[in-house]
Amino acid sequence: MGLQQKIGYISLVIIFSLAMAAAIEAAQPPFACNSSNPSTKKLTFCSTELPIKQRAEDLVSRLTLDEKVSQLVNDAPAIPRLGIPAYQWWSESLHGVADAGLGVSFEGTIHAATSFPQVILTAASFDAHLWYRIGQAIGKEARAVYNQGQAQGMTFWAPNINIFRDPRWGRGQETPGEDPLVTGRYGVSYVRGVQGDSFEGGGKLVNEGHLQASACCKHMTAYDLDRWDNITRYIFDAQVTPQDLADTYQPPFRSCIEEGRASGIMCAYNRVNGVPNCANYNLLTKTAREKWGFYGYITSDCDAVSIIYDDQGYAKDPEDAVVDVLKAGMDLNCGSYLKNHTKSAVQQKKLPEAEIDRALHNLFSIRMRLGLFNGNPSQFVFSSIGPSQVCSKEHQSLALEAAQNGIVLLKNDANLLPLPCRRTTPISLAVIGPNANSSQTLLGNYHGPPCTSISLLHALESYVTSPLRYHPGCNGVACSSALINDAVNIANEAEYVVLIMGLDQSQEREDHDRVDLVLPGKQKNLIIAVARAAKKPVVLVLVCGGPLDVSFAEDDDNIGSILWVGYPGEAGGVALAQIIFGDHNPGGRLPITWYPKDFIKVPMTDMRMRSDPYSGYPGRTYRFYQGKKVFEFGHGISYSTYSYSFIAVSLNEFHLTSMTAMKVSENSDSTRYVLAPEKGSKFCERMKFLAIIGVKNHGVMAGKHPVLLFVRREKVTHGSPMKQLVGFQALSLKAGERAEIEFLLSPCEHLSRADEHGVLVMEIGTHFLVVGDQEYPINVVA
Ligand SMILES: *[C@@H]1O[C@H](CO)[C@@H](O)[C@H](O)[C@H]1NC(C)=O
Ligand SMILES: *[C@@H]1O[C@H](CO)[C@@H](O)[C@H](O)[C@H]1NC(C)=O
Ligand SMILES: *[C@@H]1O[C@H](CO)[C@@H](O)[C@H](O)[C@H]1NC(C)=O
Ligand SMILES: *[C@@H]1O[C@H](CO)[C@@H](O)[C@H](O)[C@H]1NC(C)=O
């Protein structure tokens, strides 16, 4: 570049930068109560000194019926006469700020967001603090997008905390797995992180619950079937026992609301025992609001109101559907049904206007808690969060940390991994498989544009010095045809072979459940042939959300190692390469049971968790499933081995009746039990006890190891789980290091289960705390 050109270039840059600065300044986020506008700033609802309750009441009282009705849908229009801008309620942020909803745009200064691993993999870290930090990062990036004028709303419809009940579920990948405690804890951590944690120690909201961004616990409740055998979520009527509701389906929602203080709930499409979730007064009002103290808004899933009339025939006409949902306590309709039919419901005198006011009060309270009615938003606590916080180095390394700590080593015969070679030593490596060269697949669903995009192949390539050989092996993930000879030729010539197989969104996704549990098409044939031809045992990498029956690979000596990487997000490739080449010690553990392929004999529509020996129903999840497993919940090995010991448990025996004066009842199978006192009651607080566990890393590598503490009962009676997770903590230990960790346990919560009526009970008898191969007995006596 000559001097003249350079000057020209520099001035161009300056002009461009000025233009950019102007554009950035112009991109103001939408807000109400503009303090430079004399006609609106004096309105009572704009007065930030008043309680939000009073402000919302004032606002709602000013609206005409038409204006009110217009605000009941996700696409809420502006009300210019009151200076209220349009608002888009639907935004998504499942594992990073996404453009899967309508509220966020990546066309502007911010054109990407940190893409964390799909939730099922993040869950495998069993690290609640990691989940919280991810929530914080997502909430910050969400606020930055709004501050930059690229968001029409700040209400995000995540987390998905439905129990991953059936391995075929296309959306199981979005959830933290099959365990109610893990799922609840994930929800709490994520929500607190996203919302900005406006808590006091006691879980009370401060600043009237100001929100960094609003999170939403979805989909309430017992929703975990999308489209299977021609049954869709729109028409499915889930038959759920009070028992399973009480100790499986509902606890994550309860935690998300009580402890997470979520500001949103989404009611699901499906019916439960005949009643559409969005029309269930008992669920939305009696349980969520009154019993759990929910403070926020309830949205329908998209078009979940229209189906109540159109598909389910539950309501006799459209107005009845509107009345059903508003009277049940739903506040917002994703879709347009309420916009179309609410006014006529009022005119037909079916719907009191007070029901609309109640919903609007909840809706405007959220927008106020988000600071969108505070005048110029630069006054609000979160207004300084700028674009530099999006895809920051810190967030990108958090995405890497999540992938590193989630990836699960399922098999590692003869310590095949880590490969004994590093960047510096030339090795010959062949990479084979249809999932090797797609960075898009790593993002799963509900993602935005990631900060960086590296395929697994590319990440492995950057680790080796000599050229790597690659072949996709299949004509796609469905693998209707496999190019076995080509793949075998490549495998023959390499010292090490990594096969990158599994699923993608063409196989498991929203609105599409799987019909089997095996690898698609000819993937298995390809794997077996390549493994047989290779010089050494091969490494098999499985990309998938839901589990696969890979027992053939578990048993095949030619397959030395198996790794499950979920959909590991933008940093998944780097994490995998680090694990394969020994720069990171894997520690993830499966958050779901991997069932054998004949599990599909069980209809996906059967919601029962508990097994039924009379009909041969095997039950579901590690808590109740009686059959053979490919891999167990919690399975996951490491380059280190860890040992455990019980150091101390602060209580060995509970004398229940002397403490509670409770009546001991007896079941038909002569199990004796008492009603469990309410969680959080004085009695339960007093009964809490500590278990101190020693953990040692016997390996030569430092590692992060999730410790899972279970309870099992000496006698597994019908209705009690075989075992039950009661605590988990991820612990970092150096090579050879030993440490102690404490678990605070509450008998009311951790030693209880639901009876047939959905009432929590504690059984009399011996319970064992279980960690690894160690057990510690606790006697519950009456
Ligand atoms: C606030 O009001 C001023 C004066 O009417 C106007 O110039 C400005 O565009 C308004 N800002 C917003 C975000 O509405
Ligand atoms: C599902 O419906 C389609 C179209 O109606 C039909 O061809 C197919 O056989 C059905 N499948 C099952 C499993 O019932
Ligand atoms: C609401 O009415 C509009 C306009 O008539 C129509 O396009 C839309 O499909 C209706 N929405 C529903 C959910 O029926
Ligand atoms: C991997 O995929 C990218 C993008 O689709 C493509 O450009 C590249 O050639 C592929 N790499 C190999 C080795 O086939």
Side-chain angles (χ1 to χ4, degrees), residues 73-332:
V73 292
N74 63 295
D75 203 355
I79 305 173
R81 70 180 181 91
L82 296 172
I84 298 172
Y87 187 82
Q88 176 53 257
W89 285 89
W90 180 11
S91 296
E92 300 285 352
S93 62
L94 180 65
H95 54 111
V97 178
D99 49 3
L102 298 174
V104 166
S105 157
F106 284 105
E107 276 157 31
T109 309
I110 299 171
H111 47 78
T114 311
S115 202
F116 294 95
Q118 182 62 297
V119 178
I120 192 73
L121 189 78
T122 294
S125 68
F126 286 88
D127 183 347
H129 188 61
L130 174 69
W131 303 337
Y132 172 71
R133 288 189 294 142
I134 290 173
Q136 274 186 315
I138 292 173
K140 243 187 213 159
E141 296 199 358
R143 182 55 77 162
V145 169
Y146 169 78
N147 288 343
Q148 199 55 37
Q150 289 177 230
Q152 296 299 309
M154 286 290 286
T155 33
F156 292 85
W157 292 351
N160 182 343
I161 52 165
N162 291 113
I163 293 293
F164 195 167
R165 169 188 61 95
D166 190 289
R168 290 162 282 192
W169 188 28
R171 300 187 77 176
Q173 56 178 302
E174 299 175 26
T175 74
E178 72 185 23
D179 181 70
L181 180 75
V182 171
T183 303
R185 197 72 63 79
Y186 178 85
V188 171
S189 310
Y190 175 94
V191 168
R192 286 188 172 200
V194 165
Q195 293 192 167
D197 210 5
S198 41
F199 292 89
E200 290 169 41
K204 283 218 192 79
L205 293 168
V206 294
N207 293 330
E208 293 200 273
H210 278 175
L211 299 163
Q212 176 173 251
S214 164
C216 169
C217 309
K218 73 184 186 187
H219 316 74
M220 203 157 89
T221 192
Y223 162 57
D224 50 29
L225 177 150
D226 265 59
R227 186 182 292 271
W228 176 82
D229 198 13
N230 288 351
I231 296 158
T232 66
R233 53 184 171 171
Y234 312 115
I235 56 164
F236 182 46
D237 183 7
Q239 298 301 308
V240 188
T241 65
Q243 188 171 36
D244 288 339
L245 264 182
D247 65 11
T248 297
Y249 296 107
Q250 291 288 66
F253 288 98
R254 180 174 180 175
S255 306
C256 202
I257 290 161
E258 282 185 343
E259 292 166 56
R261 304 296 302 198
S263 51
I265 292 176
M266 179 185 286
C267 48
Y269 289 113
N270 59 294
R271 281 172 285 176
V272 172
N273 302 328
V275 185
N277 276 307
C278 294
N280 191 337
Y281 175 78
N282 192 34
L283 180 69
L284 305 186
T285 299
K286 293 289 271 192
T287 305
R289 283 201 193 276
E290 290 172 14
K291 197 161 157 231
W292 299 341
F294 174 60
Y295 173 50
Y297 77 105
I298 302 178
T299 182
S300 77
D301 204 335
C302 295
D303 286 329
V305 182
S306 67
I307 60 168
I308 292 176
Y309 169 69
D310 295 339
D311 302 280
Q312 299 173 346
Y314 180 83
K316 281 196 245 13
D317 58 40
E319 284 73 23
D320 284 349
V322 168
V323 173
D324 286 344
V325 294
L326 286 173
K327 283 197 167 166
M330 198 197 82
D331 304 308
L332 183 78

